[in-house]
Structure formats: structure tokens, C-alpha cells
Amino acid sequence: MLGEPVRDRRAERHAATRAEILEAAWEQVRANGLAALSLRDLARTIGMQPSSLYSYFDSKNAIYDAMYAQGAQQFVDEQKASMRTPDDPLEALKAVLRFFVNFCAADSARYQLLFQRTIPGFEPSPASFKISEDNLAELGELLARCGVSDPPMLDLFTALGTGLTDQQMSNDPGGDRWVRLIDEAVEMFYQHITNKARKPGKGRRPRS
Amino acid sequence: MLGEPVRDRRAERHAATRAEILEAAWEQVRANGLAALSLRDLARTIGMQPSSLYSYFDSKNAIYDAMYAQGAQQFVDEQKASMRTPDDPLEALKAVLRFFVNFCAADSARYQLLFQRTIPGFEPSPASFKISEDNLAELGELLARCGVSDPPMLDLFTALGTGLTDQQMSNDPGGDRWVRLIDEAVEMFYQHITNKARKPGKGRRPRS
DNA sequence: CTACAATCCGAATGATGTTAGGAGAACCGG
DNA sequence: CCGGTTCTCCTAACATCATTCGGATTGTAG
């Protein structure tokens, strides 16, 4: 049989260890915050010496990059799995955004890694960023089918991802619509806190 | 004259140097990101040795804390200066939120320091946090005048500050109102990007 | 002038990410 | 089975970071 290429056990083990490292990294990051990723702690939980990690990743930022790629891939996969895109492009966009909100709420560390840039030296490699980019290109087609050219798609995500804080919105002609949006949000939240019965003992302390 | 207490030049100089350090810290943080605050670089721009900074601040986190206090104070001052609170509490809340959005958009590093928690070891001291707390207590009176008891005020800021990602919103009875809110945001932004003429050469590259 | 406290420096400590060099095992072709 | 290559891991070291300590200098108060 000339098919059946020889399996490289080494490569398998390599990939397995890489996955193990990343899993531990996610755990650490979810527990202590995105910025609190220590190679030494990481190596300890794996059972290696810190320097041995460099057999699998070129640097700490390379680990962040691999995590970014994982997160971006999860974004693409989960989106395609959960969404059947409606024919109406506008409706499809709404569905994407609802997914986006839920995705970000599910894992704040992952959200921070993907959509905020809080780690000083890090930015995703072109290869990793391409995952997000390709996905956005697809969404761009949605807009293209509506006759929109050069759609600043990412602004849309930024707008809802950063909580309507984008300066662009304020400068927007017709920006008073944003004000009305905020007003409605307030009314909504006002009703929310008025009606809600707080579960005793579960009163978490919000951030600010 | 028994009034006229003796001026302490040392204390003046101390306060002046403290302010100088904080100013340099803000500069550094605005330029390179909140997490990229280096005591060595800080000392160098001031013209001191790194260890000398400890005459003015107990630790790096103490510097963060002082910056937090400054930011919180700015929040209170600017809010009171820019807002005349309407009589209707709900209208007042709307005004506060509009201010909040603008305040966050003005300085992303400050926003990150005040309302996100991205620095692993840091949380504001009780004294610094009290500045925010007192301000929120005042806003709480607004709600109290509407008959709302134990208002989770901060959730409101969190909700818009983090981009509608708060899990609580999804769990909210009547949470479909949030979905409709997102829908309206999309429609709004859709029109925004459809009509907008992009200024050539100023095409900034959004984050993800 | 003397005493005291504040300020700064230089050196040292422990932690971090990272690199270099070597020991041992796993794999491969003979 | 053997010899060479490659991979994996380790120990050791380095640079940088925040931080601490002890001493020298300085400025102020009594």
C-alpha cells in the first residue's frame, strides 16, 4: 500500500502538548485575568520547566496569539452553528449582533483578548487575524448585497462591543439618533431595576 | 500674628513632585496603554532613580490608585459642571448616561482604569473608591425619589460601559426588550454606514 | 549649631520572560 | 543492531521589572 503516509508520532505529541498548554493558559487567564499569564506558573501546572515551553511556542506573545486564533475560530464556528442567516441582509446583521453580544458575555477574558487590546506588546499575527478577517469579509458580502461599498463593518462591532463609546457616533450626522437610543436604554433599565427582585445572598458587587 | 501657620516648603515640593509623577504616568499610559506603566521609565522622565519614587508612592499600585482617584474626581467634577440635573429623575438619569458615554470616549486609558479591571494586582483603595461611591450615592437619591429601593446603580453603568454584555440583561424577565434595542442599534448603524462619506486618508483601522 | 526628618542614590533581592548549551531519548536509514 | 539526526527537556544564566535596605546629602526646626 503506497497510500497510508507514515504517522509522525512526534508531531502528534507536539500538538497534544501544545493543546494542553493552551488549555492551562485559558484556565489561568479565566481565573486571574488576561494579563496575569505567567510562563512559570504555566510550566508548573504542565509539569515542565519554563524554558521547555519554548519548544512549543516562540514567546509568551505567541501563546497569546494561539489563544487569539482559538478564540477567533470559536467565534466563527459558533456563529455558523447558531445562526441560520436570514435572506434579508439587515435581519442577518441583527442576528450576528445578537450572537456577538452573547459570545462576549460568555467569556470576558476571551472578549478582552479578541476585541480589546489590553496587553501592551501583543497584537495578533496576520495568520491569526486572518481568521477574523475572513469571517468579516463574509459579513461584508451581506452588506455588499445591499449596495454598500467599503463597509466599515468593524465599527459596528466596536460600537456595541465598547458600549456605544465610539467617538465616531457622536460626530455622526444624525447622531441624535444615538442619544435617543441611550434614552431608550435608560428607560428600559429603569424599568428593569424597578421591577426586579434581587436574589438575596447573590448580590454581586459590580465593578465601578 | 498667631494665625498664619508656617508654610511647609517640603510638603509643597512633595505635592508638586507627586503631581509631576502622576502627569508623566498619564502621559505614558495614554501613549502605550494602561498596563505599560514602567517605574523605570517614569523615574527617567522625572529625572530620578526608580527607588526614589517610593518617597512619593508606596508602590506601583499606589500610583494606579492615585490615578484612579484623579479620574474619579474628574468624573465627578466634569459631570457636575456639564450637567444641570433636570427635575424629572428619569430625565436626569438620561443626562448622566449621555455624559458617561462622552467621558469614556474622551480617554480610553482612563476609562479602562476606572471602569474595567485589566491590571491584575490592582483594585482601588477604599479612599479612592469612595469618590466614585459618593457620587453614585447622590445618583442613588435620584432613584430613591422615584421610589426605587436598593438600586443597582452600577449595573446601569456596567451595562452601557461594557456594551450590553452583562449577563444580567439576558436573564432579565422581559429581556427581549434588549434584543429590540440591539435591533434598533443595528438599523441605526446600518443607515450610518450607508450614508457616510469616508474621509480619504483618515481611514483608521478598527480594532478587530 | 545641632538634631531631625525628608529626599535621593546605589546596591541588592526576588520575580519575570527569554536564551544558550548540554544530556538524554526517540526516531530514522543502514 | 547501530550511528546520526532531531526533538525534548533541563540547568544555568541574563536582562528587566518592582521593591527594599542602608547610607549620604540636604534642607528645615529648635
Side-chain angles (χ1 to χ4, degrees), chain A residues 32 35-36 68 90 93-94 97-98 101-102 104-105 111-112 114-118 120 129 132-133 136 143 146 148 150 152 154-156 158-168 170 172 177-179 181-194 196 198 204-208, chain B residues 32 35-36 68 90 93-94 97-98 101-102 104-105 111-112 114-118 120 129 132-133 136 143 146 148 150 152 154-156 158-168 170 172 177-179 181-194 196 198 204-208:
Chain A
N32 309 344
Y68 179 96
L90 184 51
L93 261 187
K94 290 181 185 177
L97 261 200
R98 274 187 231 113
V101 171
N102 292 331
C104 294
Y111 165 72
Q112 204 173 328
L114 289 178
F115 302 108
Q116 301 186 308
R117 290 292 160 81
T118 164
F129 188 71
S132 304
E133 226 166 12
L136 290 170
L143 277 184
C146 311
V148 179
D150 183 26
L154 295 174
D155 283 1
L156 182 121
T158 306
L160 278 115
T162 60
L164 311 174
T165 67
D166 200 316
Q167 186 80 31
Q168 229 170 345
S170 322
D172 188 36
R177 294 199 64 187
W178 288 109
V179 174
L181 178 70
I182 293 176
D183 288 351
E184 184 177 353
V186 172
E187 295 214 16
M188 207 173 305
F189 203 88
Y190 180 79
Q191 182 168 335
H192 166 75
I193 60 181
T194 307
K196 187 172 130 197
R198 230 150 140 76
R204 77 182 172 83
R205 184 182 173 89
R207 308 184 228 193
S208 152
Chain B
N32 309 344
Y68 179 95
L90 184 51
L93 262 187
K94 288 181 184 176
L97 263 200
R98 276 187 228 112
V101 171
N102 292 331
C104 294
Y111 164 72
Q112 206 173 327
L114 288 179
F115 301 107
Q116 302 186 309
R117 290 291 161 84
T118 165
F129 187 71
S132 304
E133 225 167 14
L136 291 170
L143 277 184
C146 311
V148 180
D150 183 25
L154 295 173
D155 284 1
L156 180 124
T158 306
L160 279 115
T162 60
L164 311 177
T165 66
D166 200 316
Q167 188 79 29
Q168 230 170 344
S170 323
D172 189 33
R177 294 199 64 184
W178 287 108
V179 175
L181 178 70
I182 295 176
D183 287 353
E184 185 178 350
V186 173
E187 295 214 20
M188 207 174 304
F189 202 87
Y190 180 78
Q191 179 168 336
H192 166 76
I193 61 182
T194 308
K196 186 174 131 194
R198 232 151 139 73
R204 78 184 170 84
R205 183 182 174 90
R207 310 184 223 193
S208 161

Side-chain angles (χ1 to χ4, degrees), chain B residues 131-149:
Chain B
I131 302 174
S132 304
E133 225 167 14
D134 288 349
N135 189 47
L136 291 170
E138 278 184 43
L139 297 178
E141 288 181 17
L142 270 176
L143 277 184
R145 275 192 274 148
C146 311
V148 180
S149 61

Side-chain angles (χ1 to χ4, degrees), chain B residues 13 17 20-25 28 38-56:
Chain B
R13 172 162 165 65
T17 313
E20 191 185 359
I21 292 173
L22 288 179
E23 197 173 346
Q28 192 172 328
S38 161
L39 292 193
R40 287 180 143 76
D41 292 350
L42 206 49
R44 193 177 307 119
T45 66
I46 304 288
M48 285 197 302
Q49 291 292 330
S51 58
S52 301
L53 291 175
Y54 286 80
S55 303
Y56 303 95

Side-chain angles (χ1 to χ4, degrees), chain A residues 45-60:
Chain A
T45 66
I46 303 289
M48 285 197 301
Q49 291 294 327
S51 60
S52 301
L53 291 174
Y54 286 79
S55 303
Y56 302 95
F57 296 96
D58 286 343
S59 68
K60 184 183 181 180

Side-chain angles (χ1 to χ4, degrees), chain A residues 32-50:
Chain A
N32 309 344
L34 180 64
L37 178 62
S38 162
L39 292 193
R40 286 180 145 80
D41 291 351
L42 206 50
R44 192 177 310 120
T45 66
I46 303 289
M48 285 197 301
Q49 291 294 327

